[in-house]
Amino acid sequence: MHFTRSSGVLAHPTSLPGPPGIGDIGPSAHVWLDQLARMGCALWQVLPLGPTGYADSPYQSFSSFAGNPNLISPESLVAEGLLDEVEIRNAPAFPDDRVDYGTVIAWKRDLVNHAFDNIGGLQDDFERFRHANRHWIADYGLFMTLKDLYGGHSWTLWPPLLRDRDPAQMEKASSAYATEIRRHEFAQFLFSRQWNVLRRRARSLGIGIIGDIPIFAAGDSADVWANRQLFQLTEAGEPAFQAGVPPDYFSETGQLWGNPLYRWDEHQRTGFAWWIERFRAVFRLVDILRIDHFRGFVNYWEVPGGALDAVKGRWVDGPGEVFFKTIQQELGTLPIIAEDLGELDPRVPALRDLLGFPGMKVFQFGFDTDRTSEFLPHKYPRNSVAYTGTHDNDTTRGWFESLDDARRSFVLEYLGTDDSEIAWDIMWAVWKSRSVFALAPLQDLLDLPTEARMNRPGTTSGNWQWRATPGAITTEVQQRMQALNRATRRKPGKRRRSRE
């Protein structure tokens, strides 16, 4: 697989400044793309774009195929005549520097429902969208409708006949709640419509979008409810075994994700059909794909369903090479980045290299062991993606300020600098590496402290909320980034033909 040496910024749409309540995919996102282009960046990396579930995490989505309705732009709905401007002027009093999800979700849902009432001339386009996505959208619409009906509770707590998808009850519910189901489907239509406009704008500017796909599906999702045969579940629909990772850099008790594990034998029996559709769906949205927890395709940490932490688990082999070869036979060679961080079975880098996927190198990890770490920038191989940090790390400034004296001195010695502009100094080191891609979270361009961190792995509150404040992405920031890209000869990446 060939990538052209390029750079970019990691910033989930929710973090973008501008609209009330939450960053979205409307006009403010187009402004962001213009800013990226002025910086000389060719890449925009986002987190998973699905509807967020537990703890507002983009890695715990109600669907692997749907988009997040909270990203729909009210301004764009006004421009299309689906809302009156007064409806968005009367927005609640939201904070500028973080997302108040509880208030945002209710407000956005009301706006989308009002837009549905004004569907008018979009009816035919909506019906074509429903038909094109028929393999998942009906299940998703009914799933979300029933979640509303049963107070947001997990599908495992619904009445048994609905939990178990009794055909007669499914038909009855689909008929009784047809309007509510269509409202959820219409939200998906709006998301797709706005995202496609944004993606076309990115392409016109020579910017490729790097997406993100979690390896596991959320237990409380339309995916698991509608495809129970593909997951290791009890008769009541609860995980018989759940996903996580053993104790590591982030947590002494490991991370217990709670996602049900796959029945890989059943996936293989179907020719990985569900996965093929999942990859096809995400490549309709993005140009390059980062696979989160790539090692899980080689082996994954299996934890009993009732466990309270991830300590007592075991490694179980995943599908490995046959999985990716089957996907490639169906979809062709795919532009994929393998998230290969952590302690790895030797078979993980072997599979990564066999497939030609670039792995990840994170600057912050280079100073936690000794002076021979593979995460020191001068050691990065060309076929890798270099980061100052990721959404799971502290901000670069916050990380540096948390170091003990010895490690802080090592960082400064390595960089040959003082600590007055540490985030930018580290960006320079990462950008000068041989890695084909260099990326930094938006927080690092703004040189922000720990309070701007996006996520703290192993915790379930206070995450995913950070937003850049209006005016934070100044002309000076853009010019400094442009100078960095010029000095390190980071140029626009190779565009790929759409899989739409």
Side-chain angles (χ1 to χ4, degrees):
M1 182 186 311
H2 175 73
F3 289 117
T4 301
R5 184 172 161 90
S6 316
S7 71
V9 180
L10 167 59
H12 199 48
T14 59
S15 295
L16 299 179
I22 189 171
D24 63 32
I25 56 177
S28 61
H30 288 255
V31 170
W32 165 243
L33 289 175
D34 290 340
Q35 292 171 332
L36 276 177
R38 283 195 292 273
M39 294 181 209
C41 291
L43 300 170
W44 174 27
Q45 183 169 340
V46 300
L47 305 181
L49 293 165
T52 53
Y54 179 68
D56 305 307
S57 171
Y59 295 89
Q60 294 288 345
S61 178
F62 291 134
S63 170
S64 295
F65 298 88
N68 186 349
N70 297 322
L71 297 179
I72 294 171
S73 165
E75 291 176 89
S76 297
L77 297 181
V78 171
E80 288 197 86
L82 293 169
L83 289 180
D84 192 293
E85 189 170 353
V86 70
E87 294 181 84
I88 64 172
R89 282 206 303 261
N90 293 331
F94 293 112
D96 287 333
D97 60 348
R98 64 182 178 84
V99 180
D100 177 359
Y101 282 99
T103 307
V104 162
I105 290 169
W107 181 60
K108 284 288 183 87
R109 174 171 290 198
D110 284 345
L111 293 181
V112 170
N113 286 342
H114 291 167
F116 177 74
D117 295 335
N118 299 322
I119 187 172
L122 291 179
Q123 183 69 54
D124 289 345
D125 287 346
F126 176 42
E127 293 304 328
R128 282 190 286 271
F129 173 81
R130 292 180 69 236
H131 179 74
N133 294 277
R134 60 192 179 278
H135 69 282
W136 65 268
I137 200 165
D139 283 324
Y140 170 78
L142 180 56
F143 174 84
M144 295 303 297
T145 298
L146 292 174
K147 276 193 75 68
D148 294 340
L149 181 65
Y150 293 106
H153 290 303
S154 170
W155 64 269
T156 59
L157 301 177
W158 297 350
L161 291 179
L162 288 173
R163 178 196 70 191
D164 298 335
R165 295 174 59 87
D166 173 76
Q169 287 299 310
M170 292 285 288
E171 184 176 351
K172 182 179 178 180
S174 296
S175 176
Y177 305 115
T179 299
E180 290 81 359
I181 291 169
R182 288 175 70 83
R183 288 184 188 275
H184 285 289
E185 294 174 342
F186 184 67
Q188 293 306 303
F189 168 69
L190 294 177
F191 172 88
S192 175
R193 188 178 176 87
Q194 292 187 6
W195 183 264
N196 287 340
V197 171
L198 184 65
R199 190 180 180 197
R200 286 195 294 271
R201 177 62 176 162
R203 285 181 169 174
S204 74
L205 294 169
I207 294 171
I209 300 175
I210 302 176
D212 196 323
I213 189 168
I215 184 174
F216 297 113
D220 187 20
S221 67
D223 306 299
V224 178
W225 177 61
N227 302 280
R228 288 177 64 167
Q229 74 281 3
L230 298 179
F231 300 89
Q232 297 186 46
L233 304 173
T234 67
E235 289 188 9
E238 299 289 348
F241 295 96
Q242 55 184 317
V245 291
D248 61 8
Y249 170 85
F250 292 114
S251 173
E252 292 181 357
T253 58
Q255 297 176 49
L256 190 63
W257 297 335
N259 307 70
L261 296 173
Y262 295 110
R263 290 183 56 193
W264 282 118
D265 57 340
E266 183 64 19
H267 282 273
Q268 189 163 357
R269 188 189 67 78
T270 64
F272 301 105
W274 181 82
W275 272 99
I276 288 170
E277 290 303 320
R278 191 180 182 192
F279 274 103
R280 185 176 280 128
V282 76
F283 273 112
R284 291 193 184 103
L285 302 176
V286 304
D287 302 290
I288 301 166
L289 182 62
R290 170 190 179 271
I291 297 182
D292 188 51
H293 201 59
F294 173 78
R295 77 156 301 159
F297 290 103
V298 172
N299 59 0
Y300 53 89
W301 191 244
E302 179 188 87
V303 183
L308 299 179
D309 60 41
V311 173
K312 294 183 178 179
R314 64 169 186 152
W315 290 109
V316 179
D317 285 348
E321 179 182 358
V322 66
F323 172 84
F324 289 99
K325 293 300 185 184
T326 304
I327 300 296
Q328 289 177 339
Q329 287 170 8
E330 182 68 25
L331 301 180
T333 301
L334 300 176
I336 285 173
I337 298 167
E339 186 276 289
D340 57 348
L341 303 173
E343 296 295 328
L344 300 177
D345 183 302
R347 293 174 296 169
V348 177
L351 177 62
R352 178 201 65 204
D353 293 344
L354 175 68
L355 298 168
F357 297 162
M360 291 175 56
K361 300 296 181 185
V362 179
F363 181 94
Q364 294 184 19
F365 294 165
F367 299 85
D368 291 321
T369 53
D370 57 36
R371 299 188 178 219
T372 64
S373 172
E374 66 182 54
F375 289 100
L376 294 173
H378 70 279
K379 294 191 174 185
Y380 298 171
R382 186 184 186 282
N383 195 33
S384 66
V385 180
Y387 293 83
T388 56
T390 74
H391 62 279
D392 281 334
N393 297 114
D394 199 346
T395 66
T396 289
R397 173 157 294 282
W399 166 78
F400 178 77
E401 291 175 348
S402 73
L403 297 178
D404 58 39
D405 290 344
R407 287 192 295 167
R408 194 177 303 166
S409 296
F410 178 21
V411 173
L412 296 178
E413 176 190 339
Y414 183 85
L415 298 173
T417 187
D418 58 24
D419 62 358
S420 59
E421 293 191 315
I422 193 63
W424 280 93
D425 290 335
I426 289 174
M427 286 171 60
W428 274 89
V430 168
W431 258 241
K432 288 191 293 184
S433 73
R434 290 193 302 150
S435 296
V436 65
F437 292 164
L439 293 121
L442 178 55
Q443 292 94 319
D444 289 352
L445 275 67
L446 305 180
D447 196 17
L448 295 178
T450 295
E451 288 73 21
R453 184 171 182 165
M454 192 62 165
N455 180 48
R456 291 172 173 79
T459 66
T460 57
S461 63
N463 297 319
W464 318 111
Q465 297 177 357
W466 178 79
R467 288 190 75 186
T469 53
I473 308 169
T474 62
T475 300
E476 180 185 0
V477 168
Q478 295 173 55
Q479 290 174 341
R480 292 189 71 174
M481 194 66 169
Q482 183 184 68
L484 173 56
N485 283 318
R486 284 178 176 172
T488 56
R489 297 184 180 180
R490 293 276 177 184
K491 296 183 179 181
K494 183 179 179 181
R495 297 283 73 78
R496 287 175 171 77
R497 186 165 58 89
S498 171
R499 290 177 173 77
E500 294 175 338

